[in-house]
Amino acid sequence: MNSKKIGVLGGGQLGRMLVEAASRLNISVTILDSPVNSPAKQIQATSTHVHGDFKDPLKIQELAQNVDVLTIEIEHVDVEILEKLFSKKSVEIHPHPYTIRIIQDKFLQKTHLSQNEIPVVDFIDIPDKESLNIAIEKFSYPIMLKSKLLAYDGRGNYVINSEDEITDALKTLGNFKIPLYVERWTPFVKELAVMVIRSVDGVIKSYPVVETVHKENICHLVIVPAQVDGVILRCAKEIAEKAIQTLKGAGIFGVEMFLMKNGQIYINEIAPRPHNSGHYTIEACETSQYENHIRSILNMPIGSTSLKVPAAAMINVLGKSEDIHETLGPCVEALTTPGATIHLYGKKECRKGRKMGHITVVADSISQLYKRINPILNIDDENDT
Ligand code: ATP
Ligand code: MG
Ligand code: MG
């Protein structure tokens, strides 16, 4: 389909699902990640992968020498070397390093969005403890303290409810070793997300608006279409597309949003890569987020983003403990659930809260969907410790 070779920084589950989509189109993918237990490398035996850290500039250079297009499955990469490679034009890079730089720093990301008149919740830089006190005075408790860098699955967030918690919050987030900022606590009624695909020429298309439900800061359940009224759906789509228009480069983006009681929508954060809230697209849409990412970075026509079923859900299989059997309870249930597809990522070690796999369920209606997913969710709840 395309003779260009793709190199991916990161070889986790998102890389694995990119490899799956690429292999159907017979497109070559080379992965940069640690030598052991990379979910993406496990299923791509036809390429010689690069073993090393996706934050290591030398390893990124080595990958770049062996491929035509570089892309990422994680934003926490060394962006300086990407900028250098980009300016030398030695390899194509998607999304643009400018986009990765903005997004990998949550404070910079929020500043960029607000400068572009995209709604985000109020936020304040916290260079030291004194400025934290000023922020608390301004926002009052609770407040959300966040790491600017390296955050995922809520690690890097701390909700401060009272003065007694300040010391522990600062200690947990590394006492300013990683820079911090504060967001106003946002009592949303729902979290929404939209996957947006952008072509090399900057043309934008979005997937349906989904509803995401988090458990202890980690995405647990995705329902599509989001069960909100049409005005909200239109508004979420518009905001997500407008935000991606302000960025550069091709590829798929995940836009996380908060829906308030009065209908106001704020962007929480953007991921410049395939996203957990878009896993459902593999079974439920005409073209998956993974295939469209590959198509867009190779400058191929972007496929339809429409749903091909009336309703779908995605349930994350999160590690319950080190015991994989307990964790796989929902998957065993899903083996006999109509419309269910199980994805396991091949991670060697199971840990509490670790994303070990996911289950997608499709249905002919929202009520049929809930009938199908409820037994899976019940097993999942029973195994919570
Ligand atoms: P991800 O795994 O999505 O990258 P993350 O570590 O970057 O997560 P955030 O997306 O910032 O973390 O926050 C995780 C969750 O915490 C959100 O999905 C939301 O449920 C909650 N949250 C984040 N910011 C706020 C806020 N300002 N007010 C209330 N809740 C919030
Ligand atoms: Mg994040
Ligand atoms: Mg998030």
Side-chain angles (χ1 to χ4, degrees):
M1 286 302 282
N2 196 300
S3 59
K4 281 188 178 171
K5 291 182 173 168
I6 297 176
V8 186
L9 278 66
Q13 67 267 20
L14 301 175
R16 182 174 171 117
M17 288 181 268
L18 270 178
V19 166
E20 281 179 355
S23 80
R24 272 189 295 99
L25 300 177
N26 199 28
I27 288 167
S28 151
V29 179
T30 305
I31 304 289
L32 164 59
D33 208 334
S34 80
V36 282
N37 300 337
S38 154
K41 287 179 188 174
Q42 280 171 18
I43 61 157
Q44 168 52 304
T46 55
S47 183
T48 311
H49 299 292
V50 181
H51 300 314
D53 193 334
F54 44 75
K55 294 192 191 83
D56 180 345
L58 291 176
K59 290 291 172 183
I60 296 174
Q61 253 169 316
E62 186 184 328
L63 178 67
Q65 276 157 11
N66 290 303
V67 300
D68 304 294
V69 185
L70 279 185
T71 191
I72 56 169
E73 64 121 49
I74 180 165
E75 55 275 28
H76 307 306
V77 296
D78 184 285
V79 82
E80 246 165 66
I81 186 69
L82 293 179
E83 285 165 346
K84 274 190 202 142
L85 291 166
F86 189 87
S87 61
K88 277 201 245 157
K89 295 196 168 53
S90 54
V91 65
E92 288 174 55
I93 305 178
H94 289 296
H96 194 294
Y98 162 90
T99 299
I100 302 171
R101 182 176 280 288
I102 288 177
I103 287 181
Q104 68 177 200
D105 180 328
K106 282 185 171 180
F107 182 78
L108 201 59
Q109 187 189 140
K110 285 233 148 65
T111 308
H112 169 88
L113 292 173
S114 68
Q115 280 168 352
N116 282 282
E117 289 164 17
I118 314 274
V120 290
V121 303
D122 294 334
F123 61 103
I124 302 181
D125 195 10
I126 304 291
D128 49 34
K129 203 169 167 204
E130 180 51 29
S131 46
L132 178 58
N133 292 331
I134 295 169
I136 291 167
E137 229 164 80
K138 184 158 179 215
F139 293 157
S140 55
Y141 293 113
I143 58 153
M144 180 60 108
L145 183 65
K146 288 192 180 185
S147 288
K148 291 183 185 175
L149 304 169
L150 300 171
Y152 71 100
D153 287 348
R155 291 167 225 207
N157 290 358
Y158 198 114
V159 185
I160 306 181
N161 293 293
S162 67
E163 204 181 331
D164 325 336
E165 294 174 5
I166 293 179
T167 309
D168 190 51
L170 289 174
K171 194 172 152 221
T172 307
L173 299 191
N175 275 324
F176 299 104
K177 268 188 232 106
I178 295 179
L180 303 174
Y181 76 103
V182 154
E183 285 177 13
R184 190 190 286 282
W185 177 254
T186 314
F188 50 79
V189 284
K190 274 188 178 176
E191 290 189 82
L192 305 175
V194 179
M195 298 307 304
V196 181
I197 182 82
R198 185 182 155 113
S199 74
V200 167
D201 306 325
V203 176
I204 277 172
K205 241 186 200 180
S206 52
Y207 282 87
V209 180
V210 308
E211 207 172 306
T212 61
V213 182
H214 289 70
K215 233 187 212 177
E216 292 170 16
N217 279 307
I218 307 176
C219 177
H220 166 54
L221 174 67
V222 170
I223 299 287
V224 53
Q227 298 302 291
V228 293
D229 76 43
V231 177
I232 303 286
L233 292 178
R234 263 201 312 282
C235 188
K237 176 182 159 81
E238 267 172 36
I239 290 174
E241 291 184 356
K242 190 176 165 203
I244 301 312
Q245 253 144 18
T246 69
L247 299 168
K248 291 186 192 175
I252 191 88
F253 294 83
V255 184
E256 299 176 11
M257 286 170 276
F258 298 143
L259 171 64
M260 308 303 287
K261 204 171 167 192
N262 64 2
Q264 167 80 46
I265 292 171
Y266 298 107
I267 288 194
N268 170 30
E269 63 166 346
I270 298 175
R273 53 167 168 78
H275 189 253
N276 198 170
S277 71
H279 290 347
Y280 79 91
T281 61
I282 299 175
E283 286 83 14
C285 291
E286 290 179 359
T287 322
S288 78
Q289 63 164 344
Y290 300 98
E291 178 167 335
N292 260 342
H293 183 67
I294 285 159
R295 290 192 194 199
S296 77
I297 67 174
L298 294 179
N299 206 6
M300 292 162 70
I302 289 181
S304 162
T305 53
S306 299
L307 278 173
K308 57 185 182 192
V309 288
M314 190 283 314
I315 301 159
N316 265 339
V317 178
L318 301 172
K320 297 287 174 199
S321 63
E322 281 162 24
D323 178 4
I324 186 72
H325 298 292
E326 199 184 9
T327 298
L328 293 184
C331 297
V332 174
E333 176 66 29
L335 286 171
T336 52
T337 304
T341 308
I342 302 162
H343 295 250
L344 290 174
Y345 304 149
K347 293 183 182 174
K348 290 284 175 289
E349 281 164 32
C350 184
R351 285 193 299 272
K352 190 167 166 50
R354 192 169 197 209
K355 288 174 177 159
M356 302 303 290
H358 73 267
I359 301 162
T360 302
V361 180
V362 297
D364 292 333
S365 65
I366 278 287
S367 60
Q368 186 187 59
L369 182 71
Y370 275 101
K371 275 196 198 108
R372 289 179 173 186
I373 65 172
N374 278 340
I376 302 175
L377 295 174
N378 288 342
I379 302 251
D380 192 57
D381 286 345
E382 278 166 23
N383 289 346
D384 274 340
T385 40

